[in-house]
Amino acid sequence: MEAVKEKKEASKNPKKEAIIVIKGLKKSFGKKDVLKDINLEVDRGENVVVLGKSGQGKSVTIECIVGLLIPDGGSIKVFGDEVTDMNDNQLKELRMKIGFLFQSGALFDSMTVRENLEFPLTRVLKMKDQHEIDERVNEVLEGVGLVDAVDKMPSDLSGGMRKRIGLARTLIIKPEIMLYDEPTTGLDPITSREISELILNMQKKYKTTSIIITHDMECARITSDRVLIMDNGEYIAEGTFESLQKSKNEIAKEFFKDIS
């Protein structure tokens, strides 16, 4: 709970700078309108949690932010630059500033933990100094508490450990923005809480700005500075975790009905 207390104290800082600005975002697949009119601003250093049932467009939104999907309309500005106008090289440069943690962790099964962590350093950042590479690897493993796993294969790790290594590999390039897609899916309650607190600690250590998609209400409680609820391709409620607990919105009530 100490981490949660520190998070709430930090959130009192009045200085704000929006580094993700989305206006009128629309995206359809065939006849299905997945995103209808999405408007969102995320301030530097802020953790924004997005709640919503499956198929509501939560993951589509963050895929549009990094240019993996092309929206049908609207504007996405990251660090002041319009993502929808970027060419391939500009998108590559942008993605070097954004960490994307997939549900599976997306580790390479044929590589050791060390090799998985070295991959973005040598292939993306083109680092060649092995001493500097080793220092980066050790730093992120210390951060996620898995220094002893450096020479293990992903198959030797538990689900929670794979999530931690996936997070370490994403953080190793020191992104300014983190996008989390269901970071606690498939984990037991204790491990889910550990991952949630780790996300919060990484926000403090690396001063990242994050969007966290989750169905896990405890994850939302621990990590969020602000919570948005998505339904039918739109945000229908917004506020702090505590304020939404008192919301009269019927959909919000469904999410918070079992929260004491």
Side-chain angles (χ1 to χ4, degrees), residues 183-224:
T184 61
T185 292
L187 302 179
D188 63 82
I190 293 175
T191 306
S192 293
R193 183 175 183 83
E194 290 175 349
I195 294 295
S196 299
E197 291 182 341
L198 184 59
I199 290 171
L200 189 58
N201 290 335
M202 293 301 98
Q203 176 201 24
K204 289 165 50 185
K205 181 174 181 178
Y206 294 100
K207 309 206 182 301
T208 54
T209 302
S210 303
I211 297 177
I212 304 156
I213 292 171
T214 186
H215 290 91
D216 182 344
M217 297 303 289
E218 185 66 5
C219 176
R221 187 206 298 267
I222 291 170
T223 62
S224 65

Side-chain angles (χ1 to χ4, degrees), residues 6-68:
E6 290 179 6
K7 178 260 291 188
K8 289 179 179 177
E9 288 298 320
S11 68
K12 294 178 182 179
N13 187 347
K15 186 177 180 180
K16 293 183 179 181
E17 176 195 359
I19 61 172
I20 300 174
V21 179
I22 299 174
K23 295 182 179 179
L25 187 64
K26 297 178 175 63
K27 180 65 181 177
S28 299
F29 295 98
K31 295 182 179 180
K32 181 173 176 57
D33 296 329
V34 177
L35 302 179
K36 293 182 177 178
D37 186 20
I38 295 298
N39 297 281
L40 172 65
E41 291 191 7
V42 183
D43 293 328
R44 185 179 295 278
E46 183 181 26
N47 274 0
V48 172
V49 166
V50 181
L51 300 172
K53 297 178 181 177
S54 297
Q56 298 301 312
K58 304 183 302 298
S59 296
V60 172
T61 304
I62 59 176
E63 288 174 6
C64 287
I65 290 173
V66 293
L68 294 175

Side-chain angles (χ1 to χ4, degrees), residues 106-195:
L107 299 177
F108 297 114
D109 292 335
S110 61
M111 294 182 180
T112 65
V113 167
R114 183 192 304 276
E115 290 167 338
N116 265 283
L117 296 176
E118 288 179 343
F119 186 88
L121 297 179
T122 57
R123 299 297 182 90
V124 178
L125 298 186
K126 308 297 183 184
M127 290 174 60
K128 295 181 179 179
D129 185 329
Q130 190 59 48
H131 178 70
E132 186 179 358
I133 291 170
D134 291 342
E135 283 189 338
R136 284 269 193 117
V137 168
N138 190 63
E139 178 188 351
V140 293
L141 284 177
E142 283 185 348
V144 300
L146 286 176
V147 173
D148 293 341
V150 66
D151 293 316
K152 292 185 177 181
M153 302 297 293
S155 58
D156 297 326
L157 306 176
S158 67
M161 292 170 75
R162 286 195 294 272
K163 290 275 190 179
R164 287 173 178 268
I165 298 301
L167 178 56
R169 192 179 68 175
T170 304
L171 288 169
I172 203 165
I173 62 172
K174 299 186 177 180
E176 296 181 52
I177 294 172
M178 282 293 299
L179 304 176
Y180 297 92
D181 193 1
E182 299 288 359
T184 61
T185 292
L187 302 179
D188 63 82
I190 293 175
T191 306
S192 293
R193 183 175 183 83
E194 290 175 349
I195 294 295

